[in-house]
Amino acid sequence: MSERKGILAIAEQHGGKLDEASLGVLSEGRRIAGKLGEELSAILLGDKVSGLADSLAHRGADTVYLLDEPALADYTGGTAEAYSEVVSDLALQQNPKIILLSSDAMGQDLAPRLAARLKTGLVLDCLDIKLRDGILVQTKPAWAGKVYTTMVCRNGGAQLCAIKPGTVDIGRPDTSRKANIVLLKPPANIDKSRARLVRSFRLKGEALSLTEADIVVSGGRGVGSKENWKLIEELAQSVGGVVAGSQAAVDAGYIPYAKQVGLSGKTVAPRLYIACGISGATHHLMGMRESGTIIAINKDRGAPIFKAADVCVLGDLLQVIPALVRKLCSISKTGAPPSAGDILKGLTS
Amino acid sequence: MNIIVCVKWVLSADCAIKVENGAIKERGIYYVVNPCDLAAVEEAVRLKEKHGGKVTVISAGPPQAEEAVRACFAIGADKGIRLWDDTFNGSDSYATALILARAIKPLKYDLVLCGQKAADIEAGQVGAILADMLGIPVVSAAIEITVAEEGKVTVQRKLARGNREVVETALPLLLTVDISLNKPRYPRLRAVFAAQKKGVETHDLKSLGLAPGQVGIEGSMTIIEAFSPPKPKLKKVFTPSSDLSAEERIAALMSGGMTQKKSEFLEGNPDSVASTLLKFMQDEKFLD
């Protein structure tokens, strides 16, 4: 077998737009390629994706492999086999040292398939990559993030690394970069997939479980009463989030245990976590500190929650939330949630 | 329908896990059947109750892992197989999949179930590699499994952020299941006692027809170098603004663009605070 060279980054698109996490994967690929003095290639599959080749070049790809194929518009349970065949065939032909992809829904399904086909080592959910003699030293969480583990691939195969979204910096595009574009042929098995997609859908609002929600609005002891708790629900409704509570809120009976965030409840990592009247005891922080952005509303300047928060609102939630809900309703297309008016009137009059 | 479920005996993620000199501290820890795998066993038993057949549980693990097999007997598994040899020590996902594949190949099966990931290392790949070795299709992250006549299978998959997919496929098949697939039943006391008396079939390197170089660290594609306590999450800082003094800008650059979280307080008039918050949420595209 010829010597391994280069780095292959697997890019992802949704509806003709490059996925944000893919940009991070490319940036990381560029960084590693620079350090190792290797070339970076990118592969992108989808329907009408040729227009995205330039953006991949701007993000650092020296070569872009494209497969424009309507039948492979999206990565689904139905196209997974064809996708993995295209990518693994390219990998077998190019012999890259490293294959990078995002550890999201597509990566978590695709990467193990590639590991199987290429008979090589894979680390999923990689949080941190270091280089040692050209080998990737990868750190990933274990035991639900209680411990980190450092792993390396050891058999001389392509090192497969699935990067956890949001853990790498997305570099600025360099519009002067040009890439060599190679068009790939559709795989022979494209319509022989052993699985077929019937339909796909997305759960919304309260149907969404706490651990899957993009936005979580959480209340604590500071909410004060079951009556005031309606404010938390209003806020959640107006930002399209799911309601949760701290242990104190559960103990006070504001919300059932199933919605408790913290060490003895659920661990959540939404894009936005709004903590209202939560002081931020360690066991609560353990359950939400991985959230993308944390907004904390609290009266107590010394509350530990402020140490974890990105936006710290020092004030009375009984005044801030109604003001916020009113503003949210005024910009919302659907207008105020049905019950918002009454509660707000009662509290602000 | 004959169903095979692969289970792992894992150090429970519920215990207080401490790291000492790059290794997990052995004090105060306990093991359980990997929760995802237990959900898979429960599902297999439910499918058996509906369609008939047999549920076989396979675990690659040391003698202690027999407890995992017995826990599965207690909720309805019919047969248990444990695969172990001292040479298996240090096997990663790939080597483990090979060991399981060798044990499964001679068996008669329609469906193989695996947990999506183990609660310890969370490698999340044994299922897909095993399916490849067995030459059967794999569908991941199953949260609803329906088996119709003539071996047609409909699977609902759980993707990130509330996205769901319904996929149609056919037996023989390997499914990796998500923890939210079901809530495993609580075993009856009598079943727990009966489970202790059941025989567990065992296989080793030789009886599986494997060579020492194919398993353990030698047969692995990845190796764990060390464990460490989790690091605090770092937050990106904005590019230093030109309003800052040279000293402050240098400090910001020296931090490598990253710093620990430190925030300014928003306070004062609730209305203006709310406006600032709203603008922040709009700028960060949380309201799209």
Side-chain angles (χ1 to χ4, degrees):
Chain A
M1 196 193 272
S2 62
E3 207 190 325
R4 297 197 167 274
K5 60 175 182 357
I7 293 164
L8 178 64
I10 303 170
E12 190 178 340
Q13 51 80 32
H14 300 285
K17 252 183 85 181
L18 273 183
D19 184 74
E20 175 118 345
S22 289
L23 303 181
V25 168
L26 275 155
S27 300
E28 190 68 6
R30 183 71 257 159
R31 186 180 74 88
I32 298 170
K35 279 193 181 166
L36 295 179
E38 295 279 353
E39 292 219 326
L40 175 67
S41 321
I43 177 170
L44 180 67
L45 283 69
D47 185 19
K48 302 191 183 69
V49 288
S50 18
L52 298 173
D54 283 342
S55 341
L56 293 172
H58 298 163
R59 297 288 173 176
D62 300 303
T63 307
V64 175
Y65 296 95
L66 283 180
L67 178 56
D68 221 327
E69 169 60 55
L72 300 180
D74 292 301
Y75 186 90
T76 67
T79 57
E81 288 186 357
Y83 257 80
S84 54
E85 176 159 328
V86 173
V87 179
S88 58
D89 282 355
L90 180 71
L92 287 171
Q93 180 207 330
Q94 296 295 322
N95 259 328
K97 277 188 175 157
I98 295 164
I99 303 175
L100 299 173
L101 72 168
S102 169
S103 194
D104 52 13
M106 165 172 151
Q108 300 219 350
D109 189 79
L110 176 62
R113 290 176 191 265
L114 295 175
R117 293 183 79 115
L118 301 172
K119 298 188 174 31
T120 193
L122 157 70
V123 177
L124 274 183
D125 289 331
C126 181
L127 301 171
D128 182 50
I129 302 173
K130 292 203 164 56
L131 285 165
R132 191 179 64 208
D133 309 328
I135 301 276
L136 296 185
V137 181
Q138 311 186 50
T139 302
K140 80 178 292 294
W143 287 285
K146 284 186 178 177
V147 176
Y148 284 0
T149 159
T150 309
M151 300 174 92
V152 292
C153 296
R154 64 167 292 280
N155 74 331
Q159 305 169 66
L160 255 169
C161 168
I163 302 171
K164 195 166 169 140
T167 55
V168 287
D169 275 346
I170 299 173
R172 293 208 177 118
D174 175 356
T175 46
S176 66
R177 289 189 76 100
K178 293 261 180 298
N180 173 25
I181 295 169
V182 181
L183 297 176
L184 299 170
K185 283 198 201 76
N189 74 347
I190 192 156
D191 43 14
K192 288 193 203 115
S193 173
R194 295 174 289 182
R196 186 178 70 85
L197 179 73
V198 179
R199 65 195 165 97
S200 58
F201 55 98
R202 185 170 184 186
L203 299 177
K204 285 210 175 84
E206 280 298 307
L208 213 54
S209 71
L210 196 49
T211 45
E212 284 184 275
D214 262 356
I215 300 180
V216 171
V217 179
S218 189
R221 198 195 308 277
V223 176
S225 72
K226 198 141 188 178
E227 190 53 36
N228 294 348
W229 189 264
K230 295 208 178 94
L231 277 177
I232 306 291
E233 286 163 3
E234 290 300 343
L235 180 58
Q237 207 178 340
S238 33
V239 294
V242 173
V243 182
S246 70
Q247 193 187 337
V250 173
D251 289 348
Y254 301 156
I255 188 162
Y257 168 69
K259 298 278 189 163
Q260 180 179 323
V261 168
L263 204 53
S264 48
K266 299 251 169 26
T267 302
V268 300
R271 279 176 63 218
L272 174 64
Y273 188 89
I274 308 180
C276 312
I278 294 178
S279 65
T282 313
H283 58 83
H284 184 74
L285 296 179
M286 294 278 282
M288 44 68 82
R289 62 183 175 188
E290 294 295 320
S291 306
T293 299
I294 298 168
I295 297 179
I297 307 175
N298 209 302
K299 275 195 283 201
D300 174 10
R301 190 178 286 271
I305 189 83
F306 285 138
K307 289 217 173 72
D310 300 273
V311 178
C312 306
V313 179
L314 185 67
D316 185 356
L317 64 93
L318 299 182
Q319 290 176 342
V320 175
I321 297 181
L324 183 57
V325 170
R326 225 178 296 122
K327 288 201 193 300
L328 283 161
C329 292
S330 68
I331 61 153
S332 147
K333 291 173 206 98
T334 51
S339 55
D342 305 338
I343 296 166
L344 296 180
K345 230 181 284 162
L347 278 156
T348 46
S349 59
Chain B
M1 188 165 62
N2 290 319
I3 308 173
I4 291 173
V5 190
C6 304
V7 301
K8 184 176 185 186
W9 188 235
V10 298
L11 202 177
S12 173
D14 291 336
C15 40
I17 301 171
K18 294 254 152 55
V19 179
E20 214 173 53
N21 302 328
I24 302 294
K25 223 165 131 180
E26 290 284 336
R27 261 186 62 196
I29 55 171
Y30 57 91
Y31 284 71
V32 293
V33 181
N34 179 38
C36 268
D37 301 352
L38 199 65
V41 176
E42 171 67 34
E43 196 66 18
V45 173
R46 287 184 195 182
L47 287 168
K48 176 186 83 172
E49 285 163 354
K50 208 164 160 193
H51 304 281
K54 208 169 78 176
V55 176
T56 304
V57 166
I58 302 190
S59 184
Q64 302 89 290
E66 199 172 293
E67 272 192 66
V69 178
R70 294 202 185 281
C72 299
F73 283 156
I75 63 165
D78 302 288
K79 196 182 159 198
I81 304 174
R82 186 175 62 82
L83 316 166
W84 188 247
D85 195 281
D86 288 341
T87 53
F88 292 179
N89 219 337
S91 295
D92 72 340
S93 304
Y94 196 90
T96 306
L98 180 67
I99 295 165
L100 292 168
R102 282 298 170 92
I104 294 171
K105 250 185 194 151
L107 303 177
K108 265 193 156 164
Y109 62 87
D110 303 294
L111 180 63
V112 181
L113 299 180
C114 295
Q116 175 76 16
K117 44 176 74 171
D120 49 6
I121 306 300
E122 302 174 358
Q125 45 190 294
V126 169
I129 301 174
L130 177 58
D132 187 80
M133 288 172 174
L134 294 172
I136 56 176
V138 57
V139 174
S140 67
I143 51 166
E144 205 180 288
I145 303 166
T146 323
V147 180
E149 295 302 312
E150 294 126 29
K152 210 174 84 178
V153 184
T154 312
V155 185
Q156 190 177 137
R157 303 180 61 216
K158 181 179 179 178
L159 309 175
R161 302 214 162 125
N163 285 306
R164 298 286 187 272
E165 228 177 73
V166 179
V167 171
E168 211 172 71
T169 176
L171 299 174
L173 169 73
L174 188 145
L175 293 174
T176 71
V177 310
D178 185 85
I179 183 85
S180 57
L181 173 68
N182 59 39
K183 197 165 181 289
R185 67 194 70 185
Y186 202 75
R188 300 170 142 215
L189 191 60
R190 190 177 293 174
V192 173
F193 284 129
Q196 297 306 315
K197 293 197 190 109
K198 261 193 153 160
V200 176
E201 192 180 315
T202 57
H203 287 288
D204 61 8
L205 188 76
K206 223 173 126 195
S207 66
L208 291 171
L210 288 161
Q214 292 176 287
V215 296
I217 291 171
E218 272 307 297
S220 291
M221 303 293 173
T222 55
I223 187 164
I224 294 177
E225 292 204 323
F227 293 103
S228 58
K231 293 188 188 79
K233 194 182 166 194
L234 299 171
K235 192 191 151 198
K236 209 161 90 183
V237 289
F238 301 105
T239 317
S241 112
S242 46
D243 303 338
L244 296 173
S245 72
E247 193 185 344
E248 281 170 318
R249 262 184 283 169
I250 290 168
L253 290 171
M254 294 289 282
S255 71
M258 303 290 269
T259 179
Q260 255 176 309
K261 287 188 177 183
K262 197 174 110 193
S263 308
E264 307 258 306
F265 282 109
L266 268 178
E267 53 187 316
N269 178 353
D271 246 11
S272 62
V273 168
S275 300
T276 317
L277 277 180
L278 181 69
K279 183 162 184 311
F280 174 79
M281 287 196 267
Q282 282 172 323
D283 289 350
E284 298 282 314
K285 300 194 175 69
F286 288 125
L287 302 177
D288 295 350

